Amino acid sequence: MEPHQNDRFVVALRHAARELTRRRDITDLEQTLGRIVISAVATVPGIDAGSISMTRRGQIETRQPTSETIGRLDSLQSALHEGPCITAIEGPPESGVVIAHDFAAPEVAERWPRFAPHAVAAGYRALISTQISVDSPGGPRGSLNLYSTSPNTIDEHTRTIAGLFGVQAALLLYGSDTAAHLNRAVDNRDLIGQAKGVLMERFKADDTTAFHMLVKASQDTNLKLTTVALWVTGSVSRDGTAEDSVTGMGSSKGDS
């Protein structure tokens, strides 16, 4: 790699790293993903276009494509459930990197027989997809996809740099996913606290007894604790009293 390419690479990654340290909402997240794609396309040798594929409610969606053509190619992979993007998300090698060196080559066309002709027809001959995922149950999974109009342009340098941009994207998603989990935990804690307050006032119970009442109601109804808490607080907000929410819970206080 030439010195000027090294400099561009380092600068691009530093910009991406700074983005990861900023507080952001979902709009900022999308913008940052877009910047990662644009930086990768501009920096990785031999790459002409890019996108990110993400799982959403069991479906694989295209995010931040650099052109309409790339968006269509990604969507086609999702519809066919075939292509390097799909392989990188659902069945990648240990490295997490899936490469199609030339969609017109027999071995590549054989691996992805339905998608390969469409890529060639659209003018793209090579593609490297790098898995980006969050290691948590139900966490987002995806891939950074970098397309080339020339065959056999993806070498070890390309692979390494694309992999590092994939790491940046994965860190971004990890931070976003972790923040979402923390926000849900705080919301759940506040909700349970509100429900305990309702029961403490209605039954003149202490904090521990009120919590045990919620737990017993959860067990008896086979509902999540947060669902019971939402039911208690929701009934109070509707009619201004806890009577409807806590009917039948009176005996729970004695059992606690």
Side-chain angles (χ1 to χ4, degrees):
M1 186 183 300
E2 296 298 326
H4 73 280
Q5 290 179 317
N6 280 326
D7 291 342
R8 288 174 57 200
F9 172 49
V10 172
V11 168
L13 286 180
R14 288 181 65 182
H15 282 315
R18 280 198 293 268
E19 289 292 337
L20 298 177
T21 64
R22 297 179 181 173
R23 297 180 64 181
R24 56 176 58 82
D25 60 21
I26 189 63
T27 302
D28 294 327
L29 171 63
E30 287 296 322
Q31 291 176 346
T32 304
L33 287 174
R35 291 190 190 103
I36 289 176
V37 173
I38 292 171
S39 295
V41 171
T43 306
V44 180
I47 296 303
D48 302 293
S51 67
I52 284 179
S53 297
M54 293 290 299
T55 55
R56 178 179 172 83
R57 297 190 182 93
Q59 300 294 318
I60 298 177
E61 299 180 349
T62 301
R63 311 279 275 275
Q64 303 300 326
T66 55
S67 71
E68 292 184 5
T69 299
I70 295 302
R72 288 195 295 270
L73 286 175
D74 280 5
S75 297
L76 182 60
Q77 290 186 71
S78 180
L80 296 174
H81 205 73
E82 176 187 296
C85 303
I86 307 301
T87 303
I89 293 173
E90 297 188 346
E94 187 175 354
S95 66
V97 178
V98 178
I99 300 175
H101 289 285
D102 183 2
F103 282 114
E107 63 273 13
V108 177
E110 182 178 351
R111 185 176 186 184
W112 298 293
R114 293 178 295 170
F115 174 71
H118 290 281
V120 174
Y124 290 96
R125 296 287 294 275
L127 169 59
I128 177 170
S129 291
T130 303
Q131 184 190 51
I132 52 176
S133 64
V134 174
D135 189 17
S136 65
R141 294 179 298 152
S143 64
L144 172 64
N145 315 308
L146 301 176
Y147 289 78
S148 176
T149 57
S150 302
N152 301 312
T153 58
I154 300 174
D155 56 17
E156 285 304 313
H157 287 308
T158 302
R159 181 188 182 116
T160 299
I161 300 173
L164 289 172
F165 272 104
V167 169
Q168 292 282 5
L171 287 172
L172 174 63
L173 290 177
Y174 175 79
S176 176
D177 188 62
T178 300
H181 278 87
L182 289 174
N183 286 336
R184 284 195 293 271
V186 170
D187 290 343
N188 289 343
R189 184 193 64 186
D190 291 346
L191 176 62
I192 291 171
Q194 292 171 18
K196 286 195 301 181
V198 170
L199 298 180
M200 290 168 68
E201 181 179 358
R202 171 65 178 82
F203 292 102
K204 309 304 180 197
D206 59 23
D207 183 274
T208 300
T209 299
F211 180 70
H212 287 167
M213 292 171 69
L214 289 173
V215 171
K216 189 173 190 304
S218 173
Q219 294 170 342
D220 291 347
T221 59
N222 198 29
L223 296 172
K224 291 182 178 180
L225 186 61
T226 52
T227 302
V228 174
L230 186 62
W231 174 52
V232 171
T233 58
S235 293
V236 170
S237 66
R238 284 195 300 272
D239 58 22
T241 176
E243 288 292 340
D244 291 343
S245 300
V246 297
T247 299
M249 281 188 174
S251 61
S252 299
K253 179 181 176 184
D255 293 340
S256 300

